[in-house]
Amino acid sequence: MDGHTVTGTSGATTDAPGRVCVLGATGTIGRATVAALVRRGYDVVCFVRHRAGVGGSLAPADSARLFAGASVRVVDVADPVSLDRDGFAGERFDAVVSCMASRTGSPRDAWAIDHRAHLNVLDAARRAGVGHFVLLSAICVQKPLLAFQHAKLAFEAALVKSGLRYSIVRPTAFFKSLSGQIERVRNGRPFLIFGDGALTACKPISDDDLADYIADCLTDEGRWSRILPIGGPGEAITPRQQGEALFALLGRPPRFKSVPVAMLDVIAGGLAVLGRVVPPLGEKAQLARIGRYYATESMLVLDPATGRYDASATPSTGTQTLFDFYRAVLDGAATPERGDHAVF
Ligand SMILES: NC(=O)c1ccc[n+]([C@@H]2O[C@H](COP(=O)([O-])OP(=O)(O)OC[C@H]3O[C@@H](n4cnc5c(N)ncnc54)[C@H](OP(=O)(O)O)[C@@H]3O)[C@@H](O)[C@H]2O)c1
């Protein structure tokens, strides 16, 4: 497909790249992003692994069926030869959009995927003459305490240094990560909160709104060679407000059960000690640390001067709200996607 002229949301007009390679296409945001790119008329080629999806449930033919209007190639991102031969295949690609990320968040997986595999993709993209690399990252890397955040930051730094045009998108919380309690509340149980339920806040962003934002990075010059924190529409909301909204939608009085944050410290500490003897428990300790992080850190822009999270400094995009999504789930019109883990 030849390039075509598009007006970006910054008002700048640019010639859209025609052919886009998408990594992580089979994930939650990847699927929505493929659809957004196809809607905009791009020629989209998804690089997928041989067994894709949660628990490796998708064979290549299943992956291909997911993406109407896009094509699929089976590629091993850990192998530079496969990226060149099976992926870019000596053809012209204008941009890479990566929504790829470790499905477990464990340190080993994070360094292998969020960092090493991305370096492989970046190198292969440069060999293929790609001009623009759009990376889905996470807002939480602004306060890196966890292995997967360090792995993401290390790749962000390599991408910035590469000289390629980049757009690093750091979204706030996804709807699926804030929907884990819908069933328990519907079944009459209380909504679980840490502390008073107002320790943190976020501006939830829907899969489709984020996908539109990612796709428009290709044409909006205001998003070029920038790190882009981004949230969904409306005010920031706390876990307590999420619970209150759920109960209101169900027409029931709110009921909360508070869990002390210190409990997560005890679990993470205990698993870390056991993990020295039984390595899989060490990985579980990391998941408990991830849980603790999200129990205490907001998904909003962090003001480095004050060390405080700042809702008003967190940009918004899109139209879809978390509470509309809750309503759709309760009505049976939407289903929250469950990943390999439900921590982040
Ligand atoms: N959840 C949140 O609230 C939140 C908020 C902000 C940012 N984020 C960030 O958003 C990113 C993506 O999130 P998501 O929910 O869309 O992820 P996801 O559903 O877990 O999808 C991950 C994608 O990466 C691919 N991938 C993983 N390991 C791979 C491997 N070894 N080889 C090839 N592909 C591999 C997966 O492919 P397979 O289908 O083959 O496994 C899948 O397509 C993550 O970086 C996350 O940190 C999340």
Side-chain angles (χ1 to χ4, degrees):
M1 190 181 85
D2 291 322
H4 52 280
T5 300
V6 174
T7 304
T9 51
S10 70
T13 302
T14 181
D15 214 23
R19 196 136 192 266
V20 183
C21 146
V22 179
L23 278 302
T26 47
T28 306
I29 304 305
R31 290 182 197 201
T33 300
V34 170
L37 290 166
V38 169
R39 275 198 303 277
R40 285 160 177 73
Y42 291 95
D43 179 5
V44 180
V45 183
C46 307
F47 293 4
V48 305
R49 55 178 158 172
H50 192 255
R51 296 299 313 194
V54 175
S57 55
L58 303 173
D62 304 318
S63 297
R65 270 193 294 275
L66 286 179
F67 308 120
S71 58
V72 165
R73 293 180 184 175
V74 175
V75 178
D76 179 0
V77 291
D79 178 5
V81 174
S82 173
L83 274 161
D84 287 345
R85 183 194 57 214
D86 311 321
F88 293 101
E91 298 167 12
R92 193 184 73 108
F93 281 86
D94 302 286
V96 166
V97 174
S98 179
C99 301
M100 180 173 72
S102 147
R103 277 196 179 269
T104 65
S106 73
R108 197 181 40 184
D109 211 16
W111 281 104
I113 302 304
D114 298 54
H115 182 248
R116 182 70 251 171
H118 267 125
L119 288 180
N120 294 341
V121 173
L122 177 60
D123 287 345
R126 294 172 79 173
R127 285 192 293 277
V130 166
H132 191 169
F133 198 120
V134 181
L135 175 71
L136 171 59
S137 182
I139 200 164
C140 61
V141 303
Q142 64 190 332
K143 187 169 179 182
L145 300 177
L146 303 164
F148 85 88
Q149 295 162 339
H150 289 290
K152 282 183 187 301
L153 272 179
F155 179 67
E156 283 193 6
L159 177 56
V160 169
K161 247 178 69 184
S162 72
L164 226 66
R165 179 188 300 153
Y166 65 86
S167 302
I168 296 172
V169 179
R170 290 182 177 175
T172 61
F174 301 167
F175 287 4
K176 70 174 175 182
S177 304
L178 304 173
S179 301
Q181 298 199 54
I182 296 177
E183 271 321 296
R184 63 173 281 129
V185 168
R186 198 206 308 252
N187 292 336
R189 299 168 70 196
F191 191 92
L192 297 175
I193 48 176
F194 289 103
D196 64 357
L199 301 176
T200 65
C202 64
K203 284 189 172 182
I205 186 163
S206 79
D207 304 349
D208 288 335
D209 284 339
L210 178 54
D212 282 335
Y213 186 85
I214 290 170
D216 287 338
C217 285
L218 294 175
T219 48
D220 184 342
E221 293 183 23
R223 298 181 195 169
W224 291 0
S225 298
R226 299 261 318 266
I227 290 179
L228 303 155
I230 191 70
E235 302 292 313
I237 52 177
T238 63
R240 177 173 282 275
Q241 288 169 318
Q242 291 160 32
E244 285 167 352
L246 258 184
F247 284 106
L249 287 166
L250 287 162
R252 299 182 197 158
R255 275 176 64 218
F256 291 96
K257 181 168 183 203
S258 173
V259 180
V261 172
M263 205 174 92
L264 284 172
D265 291 332
V266 172
I267 294 171
L271 287 170
V273 170
L274 293 171
R276 287 188 208 129
V277 191
V278 187
L281 292 180
E283 298 221 332
K284 292 234 172 342
Q286 180 67 13
L287 290 182
R289 280 195 289 275
I290 292 173
R292 192 207 190 277
Y293 186 98
Y294 290 112
T296 51
E297 303 291 340
S298 290
M299 296 299 110
L300 297 170
V301 167
L302 187 65
D303 181 340
T306 62
R308 286 171 181 269
Y309 289 104
D310 184 349
S312 63
T314 308
S316 288
T317 190
T319 56
Q320 298 175 342
T321 71
L322 179 69
F323 299 158
D324 287 341
F325 180 70
Y326 282 173
R327 187 176 298 109
V329 173
L330 291 171
D331 291 348
T335 314
E337 194 185 317
R338 308 297 293 156
D340 283 354
H341 54 84
V343 185
F344 64 100

